[in-house]
Amino acid sequence: MERIPILKMGDFLLVTIQVDLYDQLAENLESDLINTINKYSSKGVLIDISAVSIIDSFMGRILGNIAVMSKIMDAQTVVVGMQPAVAITLVELGLSLNGVISALNVEKGMDLLRAKMYNGDNQEQTYDDDNE
Amino acid sequence: MAIIRSRLMTTTTNNKEEILIIKEQDVVPLRNRVRDYGVKVGMSILNQTKLITATSELVRNLLKYGGGGKVVIESVSNGRDNGVRVTFIDNGPGIPDITLAMKDGYSTGKSLGLGLPGTKRLVNEFDIKTELGNGTTVTITKWKNG
Ligand SMILES: Nc1ncnc2c1ncn2[C@@H]1O[C@H](COP(=O)(O)OP(=O)(O)O)[C@@H](O)[C@H]1O
Ligand SMILES: [Mg+2]
């Protein structure tokens, strides 16, 4: 079964999605990430989707699930590099990625995660999933 | 037989192919093939992305609710513009209430219920025909400049 690699970098996990997403692959990523956060008590997850050219409602929901689940496990998820066409399409499709924190690129995403960890930035984040 | 039509125009087909969809692994190659058609008619990245996202939603429905089927991809023109038309044909159970199925958030599959209504927003033409016990056919068209 094809799987997306998860890299451990200190307190963080880094995932770079370099292939086209499909349902099973996205589902595997969700469960693998939850297991890995649990295993290492990771504090942050960075998901780089700059190479992903399509996200539909199923894969979008999984990104949302990952953000919510990691938060419950006390880890922050940041999604970086969403292509503008993908972002616009998701909005028109009707999917708002509520609760998914995003950044322009990996570097900015890392800064964001570090800031959240070390600056005592424990602001509560609200996650609504109106459709669930 | 229930039919919903929106702005069907006379079009000519320039190129056409049929792809069988029986398992999830057929989805990525289909999306790539639809992208090839979009590139060939000179579609912008944004319009390609909308078309492929719509394709991804509808092919999931075809597999999940229709039990598989076939997809026809065509490059079409209507005299003013060129575009890509994709038709999803299954012989599944059909949809009892199309009006309900077209509503945002309606799902019998515990998912988001955005596939049909969202797809309609992403394309220029959307047509759905369904017959209980006989299957569902959804046709979408995205114009290059649409
Ligand atoms: N090809 C199909 N055959 C039978 N029923 C379908 C088909 N496509 C969609 N449906 C029905 O329409 C509903 C809405 O579909 P959709 O908008 O894609 O949302 P979702 O897939 O999240 O349920 C489905 O839950 C299903 O009941
Ligand atoms: Mg669907």
Side-chain angles (χ1 to χ4, degrees), chain B residues 7-12 14 41 76-83 124-125 143-146:
Chain B
R7 290 195 304 124
L8 274 192
M9 287 183 265
T10 329
T11 55
T12 25
N14 308 314
V41 301
V76 290
S77 62
N78 64 1
R80 282 178 313 223
D81 206 351
N82 298 317
N124 302 115
E125 290 170 30
W143 296 108
K144 181 187 162 196
N145 300 306

Side-chain angles (χ1 to χ4, degrees), chain B residues 81-146:
Chain B
D81 206 351
N82 298 317
V84 179
R85 174 165 294 169
V86 192
T87 307
F88 305 80
I89 306 158
D90 70 60
N91 300 308
I95 303 174
D97 186 340
I98 293 193
T99 315
L100 197 57
M102 290 302 299
K103 283 210 170 97
D104 279 312
Y106 176 81
S107 173
T108 59
K110 293 188 175 124
S111 37
L112 295 179
L114 293 174
L116 291 176
T119 294
K120 189 172 184 209
R121 287 188 285 270
L122 291 175
V123 299
N124 302 115
E125 290 170 30
F126 180 97
D127 178 75
I128 180 165
K129 294 185 187 68
T130 187
E131 198 177 349
L132 282 183
N134 267 325
T136 302
T137 298
V138 183
T139 305
I140 55 171
T141 308
K142 187 80 191 165
W143 296 108
K144 181 187 162 196
N145 300 306

Side-chain angles (χ1 to χ4, degrees), chain B residues 57 61 65 115:
Chain B
E57 291 288 348
N61 285 356
Y65 305 113

Side-chain angles (χ1 to χ4, degrees), chain A residues 11 22 84 115:
Chain A
D11 286 331
Y22 52 88

Side-chain angles (χ1 to χ4, degrees), chain B residues 22-34:
Chain B
I22 49 172
K23 52 188 190 310
E24 208 198 305
Q25 286 93 303
D26 299 332
V27 170
V28 171
L30 173 75
R31 290 196 312 225
N32 290 337
R33 205 70 195 107
V34 171

